[in-house]
Amino acid sequence: MNYSELNQMSIEDLRMLNKRVVEVIKMKRRANSLDVKESLWVGATVKVNHPKLMGKELRVEKINRAKATLSVLNGFGSFNVPLGMIEIVK
């Protein structure tokens, strides 16, 4: 779908399209979080896709429903991070 096709749609049609797109995005984020949660375990070494923690390796301390508590390896501090931002280090 290109810009001219979108421009020809009514406001109501655009709202419905937006609603469907948002639903698909949320569904994909939930699926991604579930995949990460199934592969996580306490003690796993992970990385986080966020500028504040870029380049740091973290250890999983606790896994909650939507977030995990991570502590910095060889450093100080712990962070509650959404599961969708966590990547397991192989």
Side-chain angles (χ1 to χ4, degrees):
M1 184 171 279
N2 57 30
Y3 184 76
S4 63
E5 291 173 340
L6 288 174
N7 204 18
Q8 293 174 0
M9 294 175 72
S10 70
I11 292 176
E12 188 60 34
D13 291 339
L14 289 170
R15 284 186 179 136
M16 289 301 295
L17 178 62
N18 183 45
K19 183 179 177 181
R20 289 182 187 147
V21 169
V22 169
E23 288 173 358
V24 169
I25 290 171
K26 286 181 179 181
M27 187 173 39
K28 287 189 178 214
R29 284 182 181 166
R30 275 189 231 115
N32 183 27
S33 293
L34 286 175
D35 290 343
V36 170
K37 188 173 183 174
E38 288 176 355
S39 61
L40 277 182
W41 65 93
V42 173
T45 303
V46 297
K47 289 186 178 181
V48 177
N49 184 15
H50 190 274
K52 186 175 181 180
L53 299 172
M54 196 61 71
K56 295 183 181 179
E57 288 191 348
L58 303 118
R59 181 183 324 111
V60 177
E61 298 295 329
K62 183 179 177 184
I63 303 169
N64 298 321
R65 182 177 51 88
K67 295 183 178 184
T69 302
L70 308 176
S71 63
V72 179
L73 290 175
N74 302 325
F76 300 104
S78 65
F79 302 92
N80 287 326
V81 180
L83 294 174
M85 297 176 74
I86 297 173
E87 300 173 11
I88 297 177
V89 176
K90 302 278 177 176

